[in-house]
Amino acid sequence: MRVLLAIPHVFAPRQGSLYSSQTEAKRGVKQQALLEATAGNLGRHGTRHWIHASLGKGRPVVTRALDTSLGVDLTIQLYAPAGANLAATLPADPRLQWLDPEVEDYTQVPLVASKRLLEQSADYDLVGYLEDDLVIEDPQLFHKLLYLDQHSDGSYAFLPHRCERMELKGDVILSGDPDGGRPDLFWDTGERLAVPWPLGDVQFYRATNPHSGCYFLSRRQAAAVLNYWRPRNWHADFQLSGPLEQAASGLLLPVLKVMKPIPDHYRFLMVRHQDELWRRHPIEQPQHG
């Protein structure tokens, strides 16, 4: 399976900014997150793995390189403006390409990454857009996504939940939906879908909050999205909360039905956010009647 991931990345500190990509104090955190999102994801999902192997009785144990058919032929393209990035700290790897988006307005970097990803989609089985601080932990995620596409008509975009780990408590899903939904939004239809799986049907719902910091599309899905936006010159008549959101789920919403696993099934598709946004919000206390 050939997979291409596009990651937009900007680090340009500004005095007094609240954005992590513009905060000098976040340099170390962002640098480590970028390393895991690039080299880390390549190591987790490529075909190369390792095994401890004994050379025989009374002989040493070595760590031997092997290839696995469960991995994927993965390429990552990092879209990072010259002079406003942390890419120089990354190890060299032929599977990791650093591309300059060639824009003066750094808010356009996510859209450039997403657009160029879709324009290359015919050469890959699966393409994905990924923010620069996300780790794909599930080693079967790409295989699951193709399975889901094959068991549907191609009109559904299956997105993972973006999660963080709360200390000593468990996972927290960041892309929660507002209580009662948002019937004023054209994509909030309340649709549900069950997909067969050996351990039981996996339930998906039409997400009110479509953003997960990423998307993954099969070749036919990517072609549909590309064919929609290309004649419109990539201009939308609606705006999500920011350029990252608009370049991700914002490109999918007019074309595909964005589905996520119901919260009870969140572990079926999940990516890990390397931050602690959960600390910004209080933990709801149970109501006692």
Side-chain angles (χ1 to χ4, degrees):
M1 183 194 307
R2 297 192 72 216
V3 179
L4 175 65
L5 299 182
I7 300 179
H9 166 66
V10 176
F11 188 73
R14 295 182 183 178
Q15 189 70 28
S17 177
L18 297 177
Y19 295 102
S20 60
S21 63
Q22 298 177 345
T23 305
E24 179 60 38
K26 284 274 193 175
R27 179 180 291 271
V29 173
K30 295 292 290 184
Q31 188 170 314
Q32 182 61 34
L34 180 64
L35 178 66
E36 288 297 328
T38 52
N41 279 326
L42 285 169
R44 287 180 181 87
H45 301 285
T47 57
R48 177 59 53 91
H49 69 292
W50 307 81
I51 187 171
H52 285 160
S54 172
L55 298 180
K57 184 177 180 180
R59 302 187 66 190
V61 173
V62 297
T63 302
R64 178 177 297 159
L66 297 174
D67 288 325
T68 172
S69 61
L70 296 179
V72 298
D73 181 3
L74 179 61
T75 300
I76 295 180
Q77 294 180 341
L78 183 69
Y79 290 85
N85 66 78
L86 298 170
T89 65
L90 298 176
D93 190 313
R95 300 170 297 172
L96 176 60
Q97 304 168 5
W98 175 15
L99 303 174
D100 190 335
E102 299 179 338
V103 291
E104 294 183 4
D105 180 2
Y106 294 160
T107 65
Q108 295 300 307
V109 173
L111 181 59
V112 170
S114 196
K115 174 185 174 184
R116 293 188 185 172
L117 173 79
L118 294 169
E119 290 172 341
Q120 301 172 77
S121 59
D123 296 327
Y124 295 88
D125 299 298
L126 203 71
V127 295
Y129 166 96
L130 198 71
E131 290 182 9
D132 65 356
D133 54 5
L134 294 182
V135 170
I136 304 170
E137 292 187 338
D138 184 351
Q140 295 183 322
L141 184 128
F142 299 119
H143 297 279
K144 287 179 178 178
L145 289 165
L146 278 190
Y147 172 88
L148 291 170
D149 182 59
Q150 293 163 359
H151 284 76
S152 63
D153 63 5
S155 66
Y156 296 97
F158 297 95
L159 267 61
H161 281 293
R162 182 175 57 155
C163 298
E164 292 178 349
R165 184 169 290 116
M166 298 174 67
E167 296 172 0
L168 307 180
K169 295 182 181 294
D171 296 323
V172 55
I173 299 171
L174 296 182
S175 52
D177 300 288
D179 291 346
R182 285 284 305 276
D184 56 305
L185 301 175
F186 69 84
W187 61 85
D188 193 10
T189 65
E191 182 177 359
R192 295 233 169 186
L193 183 69
V195 177
W197 189 250
L199 299 180
D201 287 358
V202 181
Q203 304 289 329
F204 291 85
Y205 73 104
R206 191 83 175 267
T208 304
N209 179 357
H211 189 59
S212 290
C214 59
Y215 67 71
F216 304 93
L217 301 175
S218 67
R219 187 184 294 121
R220 65 171 175 171
Q221 291 174 314
V225 175
L226 179 63
N227 291 336
Y228 177 88
W229 287 107
R230 183 177 274 160
R232 291 168 173 80
N233 200 27
W234 304 89
H235 292 304
D237 57 4
F238 66 94
Q239 182 67 47
L240 298 185
S241 57
L244 287 171
E245 292 81 0
Q246 193 70 19
S249 49
L251 291 188
L252 309 186
L253 289 171
V255 188
L256 303 172
K257 302 172 184 178
V258 175
M259 310 294 286
K260 295 183 182 181
I262 63 172
D264 189 45
H265 293 172
Y266 80 97
R267 290 181 180 174
F268 184 79
L269 291 180
M270 182 179 71
V271 294
R272 180 75 60 190
H273 188 232
Q274 300 177 86
D275 207 335
E276 295 183 329
L277 300 185
W278 66 269
R279 293 185 180 277
R280 299 179 180 180
H281 308 287
I283 296 178
E284 184 179 52
Q285 300 303 314
Q287 301 294 318
H288 299 287

